[in-house]
Amino acid sequence: MYPIISSQELAPAINKLIVKAPLIARKREPGNFVILRAALTGERIPLTIVDSDPDKGTITLIVQSIGKTTMLINSMKAGDELIDVAGPLGEPTPVENHGTVVCIGGGVGTAVVYPIAKALSEAGNDVISIIGARNAELVILEEEMKAVSRELMITTDDGSAGRKGFVTDALKEILERPGTLSAGSGAVYAMGPMPMMRAVSDVTRDTGIRTWVSLNPIMMDGTGMCGACRVTVGDQLKFACVDGPEFDAHQINFDELIARNRTYADLEKKALETCKSLQT
Amino acid sequence: MKATANTKRSEKDPAGSREKSGKNKKSGVEKRPKIISLKPRERMQIPRNQPNEQDPAGRITNFCEVSNGFDVRKALAETERCLECNDPVCMQSCPVNIDIPSFIQLMYQGDYDGAIRKIRESNYLPAICGRVCPQETLCESVCIVGKKREPLAIGKMERFLADYEAEQGTFTPPPVADPKGQSVAVVGSGPGGLTVAAELAQMGYDVTIFEALHEAGGVLKYGIPEFRLPKKIVDEEVDRVKALGVKVETNVIIGRTLTIDELFDEMGYSAVYIGTGAGSPRFLNIPGENLSGVYSASELLTRVNLMKAYKFPEYDTPLKIGNKVVVLGGGDVAMDAVRTSKRIGPEQTTLLYRRSREEMPARIEEVHHAEEEGIEFHFLTSPVAIHGDENGWVKAIECQRMELGEPDERGRRRPVPVEGSNFIIETDTVVVAIGQTPNPIIQHTTPGLETTDWGTIKADEKGATSRPGIYAGGDITRGGATVIQAVADGKNASRAIDEYLESLREASETEAAPTASGAAQGR
């Protein structure tokens, strides 16, 4: 059992959880994730490890309620227990000094990019960050991102915070600054919804700027045993859970991945409805 | 009295029963006393008993076990068919050399407790092996009765004893030797890992099993379906291993959560057994393989067996099986996948295999069960592409006809495509069951551990790897093999681990008292 030490609401339907998991806390590196199960009849879902404290034996997770399982997790309070947390999983992000890096977080993807931005900053990179959200209320980790970035840009779809528009608009602006990023120098790390990552990839494709995305395909075991998370990278078949989750954005077949992620859309809706009807 | 004798054997000479049988065979000195009162001719008259099975029409609507096994009457009637051979070839053909004639004799005498204890001396997982072992190619294939009639139903008798014991609640853990003060880490809780753990615990070692998934059992849990091996049976078998003092730590991925080197250096284990299996699915690398609706058999089976997706939305894990399912492959996993799919309720369930029926590696009993359940078999058919609709969902599979050419290195005739024979089968779900490869995480994170070109860990006949103190067996060293082979490897390795740990004990004693004679003995 993995006790929840605290659960704090960061934004509507987005909670930050501190969970006791000593073995994972001591081993975790930026880019790693866990697979967890919240109930005995529950499914296994992947979540990025946002931070860890090896001394206290805790890991930090940020969860957005988008379906049955995440809603259940966000309804749990300090003292409740997650029944299974396995990790750290995936290949850690290779942290090197690229010079200038642009770290982009879309929505709850900010929680995925934050540990990487932090590690890149500690490795001496000049970090420029972009956080995108639908509106001001949904902007998360602003202070944390500011602390690890030389410059932080915020974009919202409705203009209620920062500049109005998408993260790609902010990225294009940065790319137009002379001498910031160019082919073979600097890098872009983008984490968020699949369409956002594809849009970022399209922006940098012709510039030759290396672009990394953290893929979020459907996962089950998270240890390379089923291939649910398979993805075409270049002309190769990769399992995101063991070979990734980060890949070179320009090599990824996003169309295929976005279609695969829709596999269970109707059943997910059904599960959520069943869950809601039980609550009322 | 009997219990003491058992302890002695497992403590001092775990290989005892095996060597004894070897001696028996050569000298023929120790004649087995005949117990069953019938004359051989009378015994031969008794037809093989058939277990009660769920009828096909009913069973394809549920996941309950197909075979109900023997009841007491049938089990006893079956014992009377044993000829009590002096040279029991069945025993020699069992990968773990269960003393089959002796357990049958004990059973005949009504000593069910004694009979199951006899089995457990050689195999700690009788409820499982009695169900999933391919007896038709092992013990039962050489049974003398089978020369003229059908062979003894050895597997069904083994299963009966295990089930009877569970029903009566009479299981008592076999005696465990005095603590040896050394601990062993077992990586993976499949049949091999459970066996190593049970054997070493009985020898007095402190054993911990590390399992990556949230439940113990490995392929017994996520791979083999409920209708062949109920998960309750697996849980009970794991509990019997725990009853020996074995600890099971789930959600620990060795190679990620902890490395093998940390098990030695930080956790203080003296030896490690790697039994992580071959769980990574192979894909065909044909166009369209990543369309929605294409599953690996591992994914399909794990969703159904481990995650209970067939009970969605009571259980949260979803699964989508359409109206027309095509399963690719001809092994046990393909058979499990196709029969599992059938039970989810598609209109049509088809299996495509690129060779002919004769070359199918699946168990005959399971092929027979699949046919009874209305699975369509298409032989000499190989997929070349999967076609999708505008939403990225499978709509058809393009195949070509094959014919059999020259035998390959394993003696199986190689399938050769027939030019211009391409045709389309409409389908909305494709399950790829063409084999598994070893999980690479441990090999990648354990320096100095030698592997083969196939990604398997190199181990000698005792299970020793290229690094001292690290042993391996089962599918991680063999690629895909059988449950009983994993059990046999586990038994073998547990003896080798015992010897290795004994040498460490002697070495440390020598260190404590460095005399000339001690040093000599230590070698």
Side-chain angles (χ1 to χ4, degrees), chain A residues 26-27 44 68 87 226 230, chain B residues 214 257 266 289 296 316:
Chain A
R26 69 187 267 284
K27 213 43 187 287
R44 296 167 65 96
K68 183 180 175 182
C226 78
R230 66 191 184 274
Chain B
H214 58 267
T257 317
E266 291 171 35
E289 206 164 14
S296 72
D316 294 339

Side-chain angles (χ1 to χ4, degrees), chain B residues 323-337:
Chain B
N323 280 327
K324 291 180 176 175
V325 181
V326 170
V327 176
L328 311 172
D332 284 326
V333 175
M335 225 50 66
D336 285 344

Side-chain angles (χ1 to χ4, degrees), chain B residues 301-318:
Chain B
L301 292 170
T302 306
R303 282 183 185 272
V304 174
N305 295 326
L306 182 71
M307 306 309 297
K308 308 269 181 276
Y310 65 99
K311 294 185 182 173
F312 180 91
E314 183 198 337
Y315 281 72
D316 294 339
T317 304

Side-chain angles (χ1 to χ4, degrees), chain B residues 325-382:
Chain B
V325 181
V326 170
V327 176
L328 311 172
D332 284 326
V333 175
M335 225 50 66
D336 285 344
V338 81
R339 297 176 66 204
T340 295
S341 303
K342 180 79 189 179
R343 283 160 170 75
I344 314 272
E347 286 163 15
Q348 211 177 341
T349 315
T350 311
L351 184 120
L352 305 187
Y353 181 51
R354 62 196 187 119
R355 292 183 162 96
S356 66
R357 176 185 295 270
E358 289 66 45
E359 288 83 23
M360 275 181 111
R363 288 189 69 186
I364 296 162
E365 184 182 351
E366 302 313 333
V367 176
H368 171 68
H369 278 148
E371 282 176 326
E372 280 183 343
E373 290 167 8
I375 311 290
E376 280 180 42
F377 287 72
H378 289 210
F379 296 103
L380 293 165
T381 304
S382 185

Side-chain angles (χ1 to χ4, degrees), chain A residues 2 23-24 26-27 35 37 39-44 68-69 72 83-92 218-232 237 239 241-244 256 259-268 270-271 274, chain B residues 210 212-215 222 250-253 255-259 262 266-267 276 279-283 285 288-300 302-303 306-307 312-320 390-393 432 436 439-441 444:
Chain A
Y2 302 79
L23 287 179
I24 302 173
R26 69 187 267 284
K27 213 43 187 287
I35 293 267
R37 217 162 62 105
L40 278 171
T41 54
E43 60 180 338
R44 296 167 65 96
K68 183 180 175 182
T69 300
L72 171 67
I83 59 171
D84 298 296
V85 182
L89 297 167
E91 284 296 315
I218 293 169
M219 286 190 190
M220 191 172 47
D221 62 277
T223 61
M225 277 184 29
C226 78
C229 66
R230 66 191 184 274
V231 40
T232 308
L237 181 70
F239 292 176
C241 71
V242 287
D243 301 317
E256 178 185 279
R260 280 187 68 80
N261 269 15
R262 279 199 304 261
T263 300
Y264 299 108
D266 55 337
L267 292 180
E268 283 160 4
K270 187 177 168 190
T274 319
Chain B
F210 293 98
L213 288 172
H214 58 267
E215 287 183 18
Y222 69 77
T250 52
N251 297 321
V252 180
I253 303 112
R256 297 273 197 224
T257 317
L258 290 165
T259 62
E262 285 169 334
E266 291 171 35
M267 312 280 284
T276 48
S280 192
R282 282 178 52 201
F283 285 92
N285 291 316
E289 206 164 14
N290 294 346
L291 289 164
S292 294
V294 182
Y295 292 97
S296 72
S298 316
E299 182 185 353
L300 170 83
T302 306
R303 282 183 185 272
L306 182 71
M307 306 309 297
F312 180 91
E314 183 198 337
Y315 281 72
D316 294 339
T317 304
L319 174 71
K320 270 215 174 155
E390 62 283 359
N391 297 318
W393 199 282
V432 183
Q436 287 92 236
N439 319 49
I441 296 178
H444 288 173

Side-chain angles (χ1 to χ4, degrees), chain B residues 14 21 38 129 236 263 278 299 345 398 419 459 488 506 518:
Chain B
S21 80
L38 299 176
C129 292
E236 287 170 355
L263 290 175
E299 182 185 353
E398 185 177 340
E419 284 296 320
E506 283 170 8

